[in-house]
Every structure is written in structure tokens, then in C-alpha cells.
Amino acid sequence: MRPPYVYRWAGLLTIVGLFAGVATVVLVDRGPSATLAAGPVVELPVATAPAVVPLPPERPAITPTLLTTTAGTGKAVALTFDDGPDPATTPRILDLLAQHGARATFCMVGQQAQAHPDLVRRVVAEGHRLCNHTITHDAGIGARPPELMSRQLQASRDVIAQVSGGAEVDYFRAPQGKWSPALVRMSATDGMRALGWDVDPLDWTTPGTDAIVTRVQQRVHPGAVVLLHDGGGPRAQTVAAVEALLPWLTDHGYSFVLPR
């Protein structure tokens, strides 16, 4: 074989070798990707809506006094929601709180908690607090004999704690704010802080979204405990008001805390 043919064969073999090497690299690169793509779907990260990440809870001091303002660094405000949980309203409120990284306290009626345990568990899972609001929204509980008062408080607390999966119920709020000295003392005796409020926009009267927003904006102050409702009737106005108030409060320097 003459030299030119040797060079031609050598060149041809070199080109074949290069193609073989490239093919090998491609196959090696594809191998792991194919394996990952065939892996279990549940192991891949799934995009979810913004959610509040639960933090280790700081429990309030259980004393025989009515808590109407809250402590906190700077301009702190405590949002509270009564009479739920309600499947038409509570999820929408929770979504809004999650979007703004805000925590709140939910004062639940025992019957409602029993009927919607999934919502109670979601409230706890997203870092919010539970408050006992009696079994049936009994506004006369503060006038009951002490033994009956205690049994009612414990029964409603135990129902809410059970359906939540064992979460603490740190607060008690008297329906309609009808407190008596005996009821405040009994709340503490049964391990719950009596929780009142000092900003009430009367959202339960459905005065209109603008009225609810304006009343909160005019009355809120550092340390305020704001009363709102996620149950007890149609609450579309409250949902719309919360949607407007959360960014407004944030823009005005407020942080969202749990009552203490």
C-alpha cells in the first residue's frame, strides 16, 4: 500500500474514532437524565401557593386578666377572627394571610370545629393560634354557675383540641364580649387566657367593605387587637376588607403578632 493510502486510512480511522467518542459522551450524559425522569414523581419539588411557615409558638401568659392589647416589637397588631371555621370564608382568609406572611388567632365555635376539622388542622399547620369560643356561641356563659361554666369551657376546649390533632388552645373569648369577673378567672383556671379586643369595625353587621376598612385604619394603633369574623354569616365583605387591610398595614409599618 502506497503512503497516500496509509494517510487516507489513518484519517478515516481518526474521524470514526471521534464520532464514536462523541456518541459515547452523549449516551453517558443521557443515562442519568433518563433515570431521573423515570423516578417517582412524588420526590420532585411541587410548586405551591405561598404559605406561612409555622414557627415554634410562644404561648401567652395565662393570668386571670382580660387581654385587650398585645405586646410586640415596634408597631405590632394582632388580628383575630371569630365564629368559624367556615368553608366559604376561612380558606380565603387563610390564603390572604399566607400571601402576606401574617399570623392570626381564630376563635372557633366548637360545633363549627367539629363540622370542619380539616380547616382547624389547616389553621394550626399554617402557624395560627386557636381560641375557644364555646360550643354553641353561648353568650350567657358568663352568668352560669361556676361548675357549669367550667364544664362548658373544658368541653369546648377539648373538642377544638381534639379535631386539631392535639394543638394547644391558648385563649378563650366570650361570645359577644359578654365577660364577667368569674368567667375571666375561670378561663385562667382552665388554662386559657381571656382574650378581648380594642378595635371592632363591626364587620358582623355587614356595613360594607369600605366601612370595615376605614374603621380599622382609623382605630388601629401599635398593640391593637382587631376583631373580625370568618363565620357566623356571609363574610364576603370581611374577606375583601382583609385583602385591602393586609398590604395597607404592612405599608404603614405594622407587623402581625399573636396576642400576648
Side-chain angles (χ1 to χ4, degrees):
M1 189 179 297
R2 295 182 181 179
Y5 291 103
V6 173
Y7 298 143
R8 291 175 186 175
W9 279 104
L12 181 59
L13 290 173
T14 301
I15 294 172
V16 170
L18 288 173
F19 276 111
V22 171
T24 301
V25 172
V26 171
L27 289 174
V28 170
D29 286 345
R30 286 182 177 176
S33 299
T35 301
L36 290 174
V41 175
V42 293
E43 294 182 3
L44 300 177
V46 178
T48 57
V52 175
V53 178
L55 297 176
E58 181 180 349
R59 300 192 64 191
I62 308 300
T63 63
T65 56
L66 181 61
L67 181 63
T68 57
T69 60
T70 185
T73 303
K75 298 172 71 174
V77 61
L79 303 179
T80 65
F81 295 90
D82 281 17
D83 299 350
D86 184 281
T89 304
T90 306
R92 298 169 67 189
I93 295 291
L94 289 171
D95 289 344
L96 291 170
L97 294 172
Q99 290 170 17
H100 294 273
R103 285 176 171 77
T105 301
F106 287 80
C107 299
M108 296 185 175
V109 176
Q111 287 182 337
Q112 289 295 108
Q114 273 188 318
H116 307 289
D118 55 326
L119 293 179
V120 182
R121 290 191 291 269
R122 181 181 170 188
V123 165
V124 173
E126 295 186 8
H128 307 292
R129 265 302 163 63
L130 298 177
C131 172
N132 177 0
H133 204 38
T134 75
I135 287 282
T136 60
H137 202 268
D138 179 11
I141 188 172
R144 310 293 182 209
E147 297 80 7
L148 179 57
M149 186 188 301
S150 180
R151 286 201 299 273
Q152 287 196 33
L153 284 174
Q154 292 179 27
S156 51
R157 178 199 61 198
D158 292 348
V159 164
I160 296 169
Q162 181 180 7
V163 299
S164 75
E168 298 287 350
V169 182
D170 286 330
Y171 305 95
F172 173 79
R173 174 172 279 171
Q176 300 179 13
K178 292 187 176 180
W179 293 99
S180 67
L183 184 56
V184 173
R185 290 193 301 270
M186 190 65 71
S187 300
T189 299
D190 290 335
M192 297 171 287
R193 183 68 184 269
L195 178 60
W197 61 82
D198 68 342
V199 175
D200 179 7
L202 300 175
D203 66 316
W204 61 274
T205 65
T206 59
T209 298
D210 290 345
I212 299 169
V213 171
T214 299
R215 290 168 184 174
V216 173
Q217 290 175 341
Q218 290 177 344
R219 302 171 191 177
V220 72
H221 58 87
V225 177
V226 181
L227 170 64
L228 294 162
H229 294 77
D230 67 323
R235 296 291 173 239
Q237 292 179 8
T238 299
V239 172
V242 170
E243 186 173 14
L245 284 167
L246 287 172
W248 184 90
L249 289 166
T250 300
D251 290 345
H252 284 74
Y254 282 94
S255 61
F256 305 99
V257 302
L258 301 171
R260 58 187 178 88

